Each structure stands twice: as C-alpha cells, then as structure tokens.
Amino acid sequence: MNSGNYVKAATALTFAATLSLMSSCKEEQPKPERPNIVFIMSDDHAYQAISAYSDKLIRTPNIDRLYREGMLFTNASVTNSICAPSRATILTGKHSHIHGKIDNIFPFDTTNVTFPQILHDQGYQTAMFGKLHFGNNPKGFDEFKILPGQGDYYNPQFITNKGDTTIQGYVTDIITDLTLDWLGNRRREEDPFMLFYLHKAPHREWLPAPRHYKEFTKRSFPEPETLFDDYNGRGTAAKEAEMNLLKHMTISADNKIYPEVAKELGIEEMSEWGFNVFKSKYDRFTEKQREEWDAVYGPINEKFRKLYPNMNDSAFMRWKYQRYMQDYLGCIASVDENVGRVLDYLDENGLSENTIVVYTSDQGFYLGEHGWFDKRFIYDESFKTPLLIRWPEKIDPGSVTDEMVQNLDFAQTFLEAAGIEPPEDMQGESLMPLLEGRDGEWVRDAVYYHYYEYPGFHMVKRHYGIVNKDYKLAHFYYDIDEWELYDRRKDPLELNNLYDDPNYQEVVKELKRELQELRRKYKDSKELDRHFIQKYKERGLIE
Ligand code: SGN
Ligand code: CA
C-alpha cells in the first residue's frame, strides 16, 4: 500500500474499532516491564506551530494527543540552538563543550558514550530512522536508515547499515513507512525497544508534499507582532544577524519563485546560491512530481510577476512571510499526519500503555518573530523547543509543567525509566519526578546555554547565558563584549534589554553569580571558549 493510501486507511478506522483492537491485542501481548521508548524529533519545528501550544497558525491534532494523553512542557529548551549539537546533547546527556560537537561543522567524536549504546548493552532493541546529521553513523543501533547530512525532501537517499539506497516519494511519509515496517516486521516481541523516529521536516527549504502544498498555498496566516522589528533596544548581535525575511530569505530556494522569473524582475540572489539550491531541488523531482509542482507554484509565480513591480518593502516582507508560512506549515501538516500513523500503530498493537512517546524538535524556530527565520539565539523562539511526553503508566493525561527542562535531560530520563544507573559524568536531570507528579523533588530552577557557530551561516554571534522562569541573562563575546538581560514575565517578546537599567542591577549581579556557578558546575570556562575559537582558526574558518 502506498503511504497516501495508508494514511487514508488509518484515518478511516473508527474510534470504536481502534478501541476494540487495542483491548484485544493488549491481552495477547506479554507486557515488557521496562518501557519502550519512541523518540520522535522533527527538525526546526517551532512550538508556535503546534496547536497544543497555540492554534494561531496550524492545528496538529495528532501531536496534540501526546498532551491530551500525557504532558506538555512550556519551558523546555536546548543547550545550543542548532541541529547537530542538539542531537549530540540528546544522545550523550552532556553540554556541547563536553561532547565536543559545538556546531554543525566539526564531526561528532564517536568515543562519546551515548544512551542508546547503554540501552542496547542492557538488552533493548534499538533502531533509528530519519535525519541524524552527524557526519558519522550512530552507535548502539541494531538497525538504522538515516539521511546523509540534511537529506532531501523528494526521492531521498538513505545511509543504512547495509549500504546506501534511494527511495522514491516524500521524505516524511518514507521515514514513517520505514519506522512502521520495522515496528511491524523486525521488532522483537520479547525485548523492550528504543526507537528514534526523526523527521527532516520542517527544515529549510520547506518543501511540502503535494497534498499539503495544494491546501496550504491557498491559506493566509496572521503576522507576528514583531514582523517589522527594528531591533532597537537589543544588542549588536540581533542587529547584525542574517536571518531577516526581507533581506536574507532567498526568493527562489525559500520562496519558490523560479530563477528565470526572479532574474526577469531584477531580483538578485546572494551569489546565485539561492538559484542553485532551488534548481538542485527542482531537478530531483520525477516528471509527475514536477507537473504537480508547476500546477500549483506556476500560478503563484505568475501572480508574483505582476505584483512585484508595485511592491514596497513592507508589502514584499508581508508577501514573503505568507509564502514562508504556507510552505513551512505545509511541511508540518505531513509530520502531524504521520505521527498519527505511528500513534495508531502503537494503539492497535497494544503498545501504548508502557511506551514512552516523546515529541520534540532539535530546537525551536522563528516564524517571522523579530522579522526572522532560523534559530541559534538564546531568545525564546529558538531557545525553547516543543516537548510533549506520553506514558500512560506514569503520566496523568493533560498535565502541564513550566519547569526549566532541557534536551540535556533525555539521556538520564530514559536510563532511569529503564532502571539503569546513568554514568556519573552525564550532566542533565532525570525528568522522572515531573513525569510522575513528584514536582517537589525537581531541583533545577535555571539552565545554561552556549551557542558557538560564528562566523557562519546567519551570522549569529557567539553567546552563553542563564535562563530561569523570570529572567534571561546572556553574554555575547568573541568580536563583541555585550550583555543582555530580559524580564521574561514583563517582556515576553524580549524587546527591551534591561542590562543597564538601574532598577535591575541587583538582578544582574545575582544572575551573573549564578551564571558563573553554572559554568563551573558544567565545566565550561573562558579557556574552553578560547579553545573552540582556536579550533576555528586551525580549520581556517577565521584568521
Ligand atoms: C542550512 C540552512 C540554514 C540553517 C543550517 C543549519 N540553509 O545551512 O538556514 O541554519 O542549515 O540548520 S539551507 O538553505 O541550505 O537549508 S540545522 O537545522 O541543520 O542546524
Ligand atoms: Ca534543526
């Protein structure tokens, strides 16, 4: 059955039929004592685009189920808001400066111990499908099929433990097909399993499946309050970052205007780069895929050809925002639909009760807030990440927590859930007290953040900082020396840097003390900051 039919068939199952299937299968299956783990992660999925957090932009009924039947985290964050470092932190339970994967450039040091290796040694069956983005293969997995690097949306190539393969179709559907195939055909019933189900979507350049671009290109979306942010009241880093929709979002690769049309209108792409990215993606399409694409994006191009000559900057910004949201959210629609397929499978096979299902992203993303796309900053849209966890055996349905949890915490959480003592040098906190409603036992009230990839894509300056429920203090360094303080309760949009405000000097003093304490606790230091700058020099990335 192809995946489109599968989706239809799965959604056609009535609620009653699902229930009866659930109960009949439950009796037949011996329940493993140790929980199974399904770790679902998408790439660049903003919490603003999950209806459990906000339904302004899109409805995601399947992902939301994990909240209705489990727990929603409203202050979940990453330690370093970029793809590969986040994944390395998840796998090792350590900050970037300890596992060494500080950015997307340097390879992951495979001598690091990862929690899947430990689970595997302790009898868990392990599998990974989708995007890893490491430059090397995962350790401790019985089976994996991963995209090389960023991977492709259409007709993607996969690296497997038995050689490479290319699969025709749409990446989100395919990753799910692979996952369901493993669950249905190669899962050992006698052992608990740990499954990584990792989406490429909704990563840039946001190519939705035909069924979703047909729908989403007809929609328009509410603009964020700060779409036209002028960055007054912020520091140099925000002013100099290259992630503004108007200035840095490319017309072809991102907004899907054909290079010929853009050139005819006199719109230049940065060094032809965006044109080339567009062409390389477009060339991957099969003839049928190209026809379907042209039937929808052709008319959008025609309309734009007429509109553009009369557009001023703000009209162009608005147009870009709508184009961006149509494609980005179209990608999410597939993710949500496919997550539903996997949740249905767990239900239908009596696996839901004792399986921990996590939905998260490798980091958050800007959906036009501050005029931006991309991530990297310690500001909320990219510092925070969506997190929903379902585990019916432990978690009360519909729970919400605003505790300061991080991607650093997964490794210890899963190990504790499996009854395994975590290695002493892991740096997170197990989420078990929160999952089991023992909130009083949760001890951490502030988290540490450190971003490194500069100079680089989007030019977000190096910075580290501390965040608690009330405040955020960050130090931007390397080619500047600037501090920023935000009052998270009074200024949730983070528009006013209060670092020099006389009324906040006590807060600054206290947070600086706590930040130094966290740096000591996590073994980060000025020496390490210099060490990583030195590595950029050795690599010829800076002088
Ligand atoms: C690509 C993207 C960037 C993005 C990085 C890192 N450009 O380079 O916009 O910040 O990946 O993303 S693209 O147009 O080539 O896609 S990450 O999620 O892998 O860290
Ligand atoms: Ca990412």
Side-chain angles (χ1 to χ4, degrees):
M1 198 187 279
N2 75 26
S3 45
N5 290 340
Y6 193 102
V7 172
K8 274 182 225 140
T11 41
L13 268 181
T14 62
F15 185 54
T18 313
L19 270 187
S20 79
L21 264 173
M22 270 171 78
S23 50
S24 65
C25 295
K26 233 184 237 169
E27 280 143 29
E28 286 157 27
Q29 291 239 347
K31 206 193 289 171
E33 246 176 61
R34 293 184 291 176
N36 305 308
I37 300 159
V38 177
F39 187 77
I40 314 174
M41 184 160 72
S42 46
D43 195 341
D44 295 359
H45 192 168
Y47 57 88
Q48 309 90 293
I50 292 179
S51 43
Y53 288 95
S54 158
D55 60 5
K56 265 193 213 149
L57 293 171
I58 189 169
R59 290 210 45 77
T60 50
N62 296 296
I63 297 171
D64 291 3
R65 271 188 63 187
L66 300 179
Y67 166 37
R68 277 203 313 281
E69 298 164 14
M71 184 176 270
L72 181 77
F73 294 76
T74 59
N75 251 327
S77 64
V78 294
T79 61
N80 179 1
S81 183
I82 185 157
C83 188
S86 167
R87 289 151 200 266
T89 290
I90 289 167
L91 289 170
T92 61
K94 292 174 185 166
H95 276 278
S96 312
H97 58 276
I98 302 292
H99 60 61
K101 185 98 187 89
I102 57 159
D103 57 25
N104 278 348
I105 303 159
F106 293 92
F108 178 64
D109 173 357
T110 54
T111 61
N112 276 299
V113 173
T114 65
F115 82 83
Q117 284 170 287
I118 302 174
L119 288 178
H120 188 256
D121 287 349
Q122 301 286 325
Y124 267 73
Q125 190 187 6
T126 52
M128 177 187 281
F129 301 102
K131 179 174 172 185
L132 177 63
H133 194 189
F134 253 20
N136 37 38
N137 292 340
K139 278 189 159 174
F141 285 87
D142 292 306
E143 180 173 331
F144 61 84
K145 289 197 176 66
I146 55 172
L147 298 163
Q150 298 282 11
D152 277 295
Y153 275 104
Y154 278 84
N155 315 321
Q157 199 195 341
F158 284 87
I159 301 168
T160 84
N161 28 8
K162 295 187 192 124
D164 294 359
T165 174
T166 298
I167 306 178
Q168 296 294 303
Y170 184 66
V171 72
T172 307
D173 301 333
I174 296 170
I175 292 169
T176 312
D177 294 342
L178 296 173
T179 299
L180 291 174
D181 175 52
W182 181 84
L183 276 169
N185 298 319
R186 286 185 304 293
R187 180 172 59 84
R188 293 194 298 263
E189 303 231 331
E190 63 280 15
D191 292 319
F193 67 86
M194 155 82 221
L195 172 65
F196 271 75
Y197 166 46
L198 308 172
H199 285 295
K200 167 189 169 59
H203 193 273
R204 194 183 184 188
E205 60 299 325
W206 317 300
L207 302 188
R211 61 187 185 280
H212 291 124
Y213 63 62
K214 283 174 193 159
E215 178 190 343
F216 279 75
T217 51
K218 290 192 200 116
R219 295 202 196 168
S220 67
F221 299 93
E223 291 168 5
E225 264 176 77
T226 56
L227 183 64
F228 293 96
D229 198 343
D230 58 9
Y231 313 114
N232 277 334
R234 253 60 48 71
T236 311
K239 294 179 179 112
E240 293 188 358
E242 297 180 356
M243 38 200 254
N244 184 277
L245 269 66
L246 185 66
K247 294 194 198 134
H248 310 107
M249 184 173 267
T250 62
I251 192 74
S252 286
D254 296 321
N255 294 142
K256 322 293 173 2
I257 293 302
Y258 301 120
E260 313 80 79
V261 176
K263 283 180 191 166
E264 183 197 308
L265 294 169
I267 307 173
E268 297 293 328
E269 285 284 51
M270 306 184 262
S271 61
E272 290 272 315
W273 175 78
F275 291 146
N276 292 333
V277 172
F278 178 87
K279 278 184 207 142
S280 69
K281 305 300 163 188
Y282 190 78
D283 287 348
R284 288 194 72 80
F285 289 155
T286 61
E287 217 178 301
K288 180 172 172 279
Q289 287 165 350
R290 196 170 304 144
E291 274 169 22
E292 273 190 290
W293 177 272
D294 289 340
V296 172
Y297 287 89
I300 291 174
N301 272 259
E302 276 318 303
K303 209 167 156 195
F304 179 69
R305 195 202 292 270
K306 292 195 192 102
L307 282 174
Y308 180 72
N310 299 315
M311 272 181 183
N312 58 19
D313 276 359
S314 60
F316 193 28
M317 178 72 154
R318 294 203 149 102
W319 178 89
K320 284 189 143 201
Y321 170 74
Q322 294 301 335
R323 275 288 36 259
Y324 169 33
M325 282 303 94
Q326 288 167 350
D327 293 340
Y328 179 91
L329 296 169
C331 291
I332 304 241
S334 288
V335 172
D336 185 65
E337 202 176 82
N338 278 289
V339 165
R341 291 173 63 197
V342 172
L343 296 182
D344 285 348
Y345 180 91
L346 297 177
D347 285 351
E348 288 157 17
N349 291 278
L351 288 166
S352 291
E353 193 62 19
N354 198 28
T355 297
I356 304 172
V357 181
V358 172
Y359 186 88
T360 191
S361 170
D362 59 346
Q363 16 63 212
F365 213 67
Y366 295 92
L367 304 183
E369 298 89 355
H370 305 296
W372 286 337
F373 63 105
D374 214 70
K375 52 248 179 183
R376 300 157 194 269
F377 276 110
I378 195 172
Y379 308 135
D380 264 13
E381 290 81 359
S382 49
F383 159 73
K384 294 209 300 191
T385 195
L387 178 60
L388 303 87
I389 305 183
R390 183 184 78 175
W391 185 7
E393 270 202 0
K394 303 280 183 191
I395 304 173
D396 288 337
S399 309
V400 182
T401 178
D402 68 349
E403 292 302 340
M404 303 297 301
V405 307
Q406 275 190 309
N407 59 347
L408 185 68
D409 302 329
F410 289 125
Q412 277 145 279
T413 305
F414 297 142
L415 291 174
E416 189 185 337
I420 300 165
E421 190 68 34
E424 293 245 313
D425 58 353
M426 284 190 173
Q427 298 182 308
E429 304 284 339
S430 164
L431 302 177
M432 285 300 284
L434 298 177
L435 303 184
E436 295 185 317
R438 295 179 278 114
D439 292 17
E441 292 170 35
W442 178 255
V443 287
R444 186 173 59 205
D445 62 3
V447 296
Y448 180 61
Y449 182 90
H450 199 154
Y451 171 79
Y452 297 86
E453 196 180 280
Y454 178 86
F457 269 122
H458 303 292
M459 297 301 270
V460 173
K461 292 184 192 293
R462 290 173 191 235
H463 58 293
Y464 59 84
I466 179 172
V467 186
N468 62 29
K469 287 184 194 169
D470 299 320
Y471 299 106
K472 180 177 292 181
L473 177 78
H475 181 214
F476 291 82
Y477 69 99
Y478 173 61
D479 57 353
I480 52 169
D481 178 9
E482 286 182 21
W483 289 82
E484 297 183 19
L485 171 76
Y486 296 95
D487 185 325
R488 298 187 78 205
R489 308 247 189 216
K490 291 195 184 139
D491 178 25
L493 299 180
E494 299 172 305
L495 296 175
N496 298 304
N497 174 11
L498 298 166
Y499 184 72
D500 291 320
D501 188 318
N503 297 323
Y504 282 84
Q505 291 318 297
E506 276 309 306
V507 174
V508 168
K509 208 168 127 200
E510 173 55 19
L511 283 175
K512 276 195 169 176
R513 192 188 63 72
E514 287 178 30
L515 176 59
Q516 278 323 310
E517 231 170 65
L518 284 185
R519 299 250 290 170
R520 261 194 303 277
K521 173 179 166 189
Y522 292 127
K523 301 187 168 59
D524 202 1
S525 62
K526 281 199 169 122
E527 291 69 45
L528 273 179
D529 299 348
R530 282 195 287 267
H531 163 78
F532 289 120
I533 291 168
Q534 183 57 29
K535 286 196 128 190
Y536 265 54
K537 285 190 183 144
E538 286 162 19
R539 209 57 205 236
L541 295 167
I542 51 177
E543 302 218 318

